[in-house]
Amino acid sequence: MTTQTVKYQKKELELKALLEITQAINENKSASVLLNIFKFTCLVHLNIKAILLYMVDQDQFELKISHGIKNIIPEQIPESKVNYSKESGELNIELDHGYSFSELESYLPVYHKERMLAILFLRKKFEHEYLDLNFTQALTNIMVVALENKRFAKRQLEQERLKREIEIASNVQRMLFPAVLPQTEKLKAKVTYIPHSTVGGDYYDLIQKSEDEVFFCIADVSGKGMPAALLMSNFQAALRTLLRSSSDIKMIVEQLNYTIFENTKGERFITFFLGYYNYKKRELTYVNAGHNPPVLCWEGEKRSETLEAGTTILGAFEQLPFLEVGKRSHLKGFTIHLYTDGLTETFNDNEEEYGDERFHQFVKSQLCVEPNTFHDLFFEDLKGFSVGGEQRDDITLLSVRFK
């Protein structure tokens, strides 16, 4: 067989290898199929007996192809342990004890801009036969770039999916909040809600069950995003269903706890405060389930107190270990400020926390003001305190004034 014939046959095999890879790419084969086609193409059409392919995934070189290797080789190589000099063409890899690439005679790095995307190690099938390393590297480049494009497209699809999830969760959350809060002489309410991200974990509500009965609540669910929004949606649905059939807040809280525990098996929890005011009885009853204690302002007596009676967080136990219903009677006029921990855990640029004590002092200085005015003054104070600091959690303040 003449040298010319051998060269022609080699070129024909290379062309077959190229066609098989490009056809698989054009047919949008999966990553695993592409890698298999590449491996068998190299072994069948090129003069290759043993092959290793590592590709970068985040900050690691991951083993993607291994064939014909007797030595022990690593599944992963930290990117920091791989050094290649383009000038000298030398590749240095810091391998842990016991690993070896000694049986492989050639290596081909694959670059995109300044970053190495992959390394192909190989050994020839026949020493005396020719292996075109330039063609092999070009073929590897085509395959690696195709796999990178697949990964990039998958990442984009994942980001789009997450974006849609966040939009849905945000819409779900907006639907949970009351569209309008009362502004009458008998009852005035004001809320300020500042989510930390698109989807927060705070919830508030005010339900006028009848002319003489008002329920109001605030809650903070553990976690963020879609799972938190869905849990809060279920929580609100359960709460409103229970309120339609009963005004017994002890029973309502116990049922809510059971519902959350059944849905999450103790993996998520909710801090919750539920208040109930009856105008005829002039009586306030409440349960604080592990939430920041709201501040009750007695307008006639010019004093304030925190509402702490209740139980532990909801969802942590199948049955609540204890439950105390708080009660305040003979109320003429009062205001309650309910808030989540994002408010008092606001920091300034010196890492100082706004804190409960500072909030209580502010409430004492503004005992009888209208809810709208209170919010304007308070958030001006909070903004002045937190200059230079970053918001780290959702902030919710609900103020309700009864007369």
Side-chain angles (χ1 to χ4, degrees):
M1 190 180 293
T2 65
T3 305
Q4 191 67 29
T5 303
V6 171
K7 285 184 178 179
Y8 176 78
Q9 288 178 342
K10 291 291 182 188
K11 288 296 178 186
E12 190 174 11
L13 290 172
E14 288 178 356
L15 182 59
K16 282 183 179 179
L18 181 61
L19 286 173
E20 286 182 8
I21 290 294
T22 53
Q23 185 177 353
I25 293 170
N26 290 335
E27 290 175 357
N28 199 27
K29 300 290 187 184
S30 68
S32 60
V33 170
L34 272 180
L35 287 166
N36 272 326
I37 290 173
F38 177 78
K39 179 177 76 171
F40 288 111
T41 296
C42 289
L43 296 172
V44 173
H45 298 313
L46 306 179
N47 183 27
I48 295 173
K49 182 178 183 179
I51 185 171
L52 277 183
L53 178 68
Y54 285 90
M55 287 185 63
V56 162
D57 187 357
Q58 294 181 350
D59 58 352
Q60 300 268 0
F61 278 93
E62 301 275 351
L63 180 61
K64 298 296 183 181
I65 296 175
S66 174
H67 181 85
I69 309 300
K70 295 179 181 178
N71 290 343
I72 301 172
I73 55 171
E75 292 289 326
Q76 295 178 329
I77 307 172
E79 196 173 3
S80 60
K81 292 189 175 184
V82 178
N83 294 292
Y84 178 73
S85 171
K86 287 185 177 180
E87 290 74 22
S88 65
E90 288 186 12
L91 176 69
N92 292 309
I93 301 177
E94 298 175 39
L95 291 175
D96 293 337
H97 181 71
Y99 295 129
S100 175
F101 293 151
S102 60
E103 61 183 309
L104 297 157
E105 59 192 25
S106 303
Y107 53 80
L108 301 171
V110 176
Y111 269 86
H112 176 67
K113 295 182 180 178
E114 293 302 313
R115 190 183 185 192
M116 189 189 295
L117 294 182
I119 313 169
L120 180 73
F121 297 91
L122 48 87
R123 186 174 77 250
K124 290 198 294 185
K125 192 180 297 181
F126 305 108
E127 274 301 320
H128 62 279
E129 288 193 14
Y130 176 69
L131 173 61
D132 190 339
L133 291 178
N134 288 331
F135 173 80
T136 306
Q137 183 158 32
L139 193 68
T140 308
N141 285 5
I142 291 169
M143 196 270 302
V144 168
V145 168
L147 289 175
E148 277 297 298
N149 287 340
K150 273 184 172 296
R151 188 159 62 181
F152 179 72
K154 185 179 179 182
R155 194 182 302 125
Q156 278 193 315
L157 285 172
E158 182 67 16
Q159 288 173 346
E160 285 297 318
R161 184 186 68 79
L162 288 173
K163 185 180 176 183
R164 285 196 298 272
E165 267 197 11
I166 289 169
E167 286 174 356
I168 292 168
S170 181
N171 290 333
V172 167
Q173 191 172 51
R174 277 197 297 270
M175 291 168 65
L176 298 183
F177 301 139
V180 179
L181 291 174
Q183 292 293 325
T184 66
E185 279 302 312
K186 193 175 179 181
L187 178 63
K188 291 186 179 180
K190 167 70 177 177
V191 70
T192 301
Y193 171 60
I194 308 171
H196 174 251
S197 56
T198 308
V199 181
D202 289 0
Y203 164 63
Y204 63 89
D205 212 342
L206 190 147
I207 301 122
Q208 292 184 271
K209 187 174 180 180
S210 68
E211 186 68 24
D212 296 312
E213 295 180 294
V214 179
F215 288 90
F216 51 96
C217 69
I218 193 163
D220 188 355
V221 64
S222 63
K224 305 292 179 190
M226 193 64 161
L230 289 174
L231 178 58
M232 197 59 87
S233 175
N234 290 336
F235 180 79
Q236 189 229 35
L239 172 63
R240 292 200 164 220
T241 300
L242 289 165
L243 288 177
R244 277 196 292 269
S245 59
S246 175
S247 296
D248 182 349
I249 64 172
K250 181 177 183 293
M251 182 276 291
I252 290 169
V253 171
E254 287 173 337
Q255 285 297 314
L256 287 172
N257 176 73
Y258 180 77
T259 300
I260 298 165
F261 186 85
E262 281 292 295
N263 289 339
T264 67
K265 302 305 178 187
E267 293 181 2
R268 286 183 178 272
F269 60 86
I270 294 177
T271 67
F272 178 58
F273 179 92
L274 176 63
Y276 166 60
Y277 184 64
N278 188 301
Y279 278 97
K280 280 186 177 178
K281 296 180 180 179
R282 285 169 49 200
E283 184 178 83
L284 169 71
T285 53
Y286 69 90
V287 172
N288 187 339
H291 197 79
N292 302 80
V295 183
L296 170 65
C297 304
W298 301 70
E299 294 186 8
E301 301 177 35
K302 297 284 185 177
R303 65 184 177 91
S304 64
E305 64 170 307
T306 55
L307 303 178
E308 303 185 23
T311 184
T312 186
I313 56 178
L314 304 185
F317 304 96
E318 186 173 4
Q319 288 187 334
L320 293 170
F322 61 92
L323 200 162
E324 177 189 359
V325 176
K327 185 181 290 187
R328 298 292 181 272
S329 303
H330 311 298
L331 295 166
K332 294 180 179 178
F334 65 99
T335 301
I336 295 183
H337 300 294
L338 306 92
Y339 62 97
T340 56
D341 55 11
L343 185 148
T344 52
E345 292 175 7
T346 298
F347 290 82
N348 61 19
D349 57 352
N350 294 322
E351 286 298 300
E352 292 177 307
E353 186 181 69
Y354 189 81
D356 292 286
E357 184 59 33
R358 190 179 272 108
F359 178 67
H360 294 159
Q361 289 300 323
F362 185 87
V363 171
K364 287 177 182 178
S365 70
Q366 308 291 337
L367 278 179
C368 300
V369 301
E370 295 287 321
N372 287 344
T373 304
F374 181 87
H375 280 235
D376 290 342
L377 294 172
F378 172 72
F379 281 99
E380 185 180 334
D381 184 67
L382 187 67
K383 184 179 178 181
F385 170 83
S386 61
V387 170
E390 292 184 4
Q391 184 181 342
R392 303 180 186 182
D393 198 359
D394 308 321
I395 296 174
T396 304
L397 174 63
L398 173 65
S399 301
V400 187
R401 188 178 188 185
F402 295 86
K403 278 197 173 183

